[in-house]
Amino acid sequence: MLERDQAAIAAAINGGPDHLPDWLFAGDPAQILRGLRVHANTISHARLVALEETFPLCRDLLGVETFNRLSRHYVETNGARRRALADIGAGFADWLRGKAPPPAQDLARIEWAWLECYHAADAPALTLAELAGQSEAALLSLAVRRHPAARIVRLSSDAAAALDPALAAARLVLLARPDAEVRVHALAPAEAAALALADDFGPLRNLIALLAEKHPGGGAAIASLIAAGALEMAQEEG
C-alpha cells in the first residue's frame, strides 16, 4: 500500500493534477493541490541544489544565471525526474550538448566522472614498488586489471585547465583514486588503450602483447597507469 501511494504521489507531482487519483487523499481538493504544489517545489529545489553541488566548475564557467536556467529545464525532463538526488547529474553532460559551449559539457563530464571515481569500490591499487625486485617471469605472470575507481574522460576543449592549468592541452584525462584522494592526470592514447584492454583480469604479459599490436613500446604506458594508481592486482596466474 505504501509503495502504491508513493507512486501515485510521484505521478501527481510529475504529471500534474490530472494524474492525482481521487482515492489518494481525503479533504478539500484545492487544499490537497496546494499541499502537493508545496511538496513539488521542495523536490524541485532539492534537485537544483543537487546539480549545483555536483557541477560547481560548470556553474562557474556558465555563470549562475545561465546554469540555473539550464538546470531548471533539465530537472523537468523525464530522465531527471526519475533519478534519485544522488544520481540526478548522470545525464546532465549529455543533455548539455547543443545547449551550452563545449567547455561546459566537458567540465560536466569531468565532474561527474570525479564523483563516480570518488564513490567507486575500495581496492588496493597496484604500485611500482610492488613490482620492484621481481623476476621477469613473475612480473609478466601478474594478473592485473583496471582499478574500480579509474575513469577516462574524452574532451573537445581545454576545460581540464579549470582543475589544473597544466592540463590545458589534455584531450584525454584519467581520474584515479589509489588512496582516499581523487587525482586527475593527462592521458596519452597508448595509456587509454592499455586501460581499455585491462577491463578484465589477465596476466601482464597478455596486456603488453595486446597493446604492442597498435602501440609499440606500450610498457611505458602501463608503467604510467600503475604510477597513477589506475590498475589493481589479483593473484598470480595459475
Side-chain angles (χ1 to χ4, degrees), residues 24-197:
L24 186 59
F25 295 109
D28 180 69
Q31 291 180 337
I32 293 170
L33 289 177
R34 280 197 296 271
L36 284 175
R37 190 176 294 114
V38 171
H39 189 46
N41 287 339
T42 301
I43 292 174
S44 178
H45 178 70
R47 288 169 173 164
L48 294 173
V49 171
L51 286 174
E52 288 182 353
E53 294 178 348
T54 300
F55 303 105
L57 296 177
C58 182
R59 184 185 63 171
D60 290 346
L61 178 65
L62 289 173
V64 173
E65 183 177 343
T66 299
F67 182 85
N68 286 345
R69 174 176 55 81
L70 290 170
S71 296
R72 290 181 184 278
H73 290 167
Y74 174 72
V75 299
E76 292 302 317
T77 64
N78 286 334
R81 287 176 177 177
R82 292 188 174 94
R83 293 185 184 277
L85 288 181
D87 194 43
I88 194 170
F92 188 62
D94 290 338
W95 184 86
L96 284 177
R97 187 178 297 115
K99 302 178 182 69
Q105 300 170 47
D106 285 343
L107 274 179
R109 292 188 186 96
I110 293 173
E111 291 183 287
W112 185 251
W114 192 98
L115 280 178
E116 289 186 323
C117 182
Y118 181 80
H119 291 293
D122 291 327
L126 177 64
T127 67
L128 292 174
E130 292 178 277
L131 307 183
Q134 295 203 38
S135 67
E136 181 178 350
L139 188 63
L140 293 177
S141 70
L142 287 178
V144 300
R145 73 172 175 188
R146 177 199 291 246
H147 189 279
R151 297 290 187 276
I152 294 176
V153 181
R154 297 183 180 275
L155 308 174
S156 60
S157 69
D158 62 353
L163 288 85
D164 183 346
L167 297 174
R171 293 301 177 265
L172 283 169
V173 293
L174 166 70
L175 293 92
R177 197 203 69 216
D179 300 308
E181 182 182 354
V182 176
R183 302 169 187 171
V184 185
H185 310 265
L187 202 63
E191 294 163 355
L195 198 56
L197 291 169

Side-chain angles (χ1 to χ4, degrees), residues 4-36:
R4 182 202 66 178
D5 292 349
Q6 288 176 333
I9 292 173
I13 290 174
N14 289 331
D18 291 341
H19 292 76
L20 179 64
D22 295 334
W23 49 261
L24 186 59
F25 295 109
D28 180 69
Q31 291 180 337
I32 293 170
L33 289 177
R34 280 197 296 271
L36 284 175

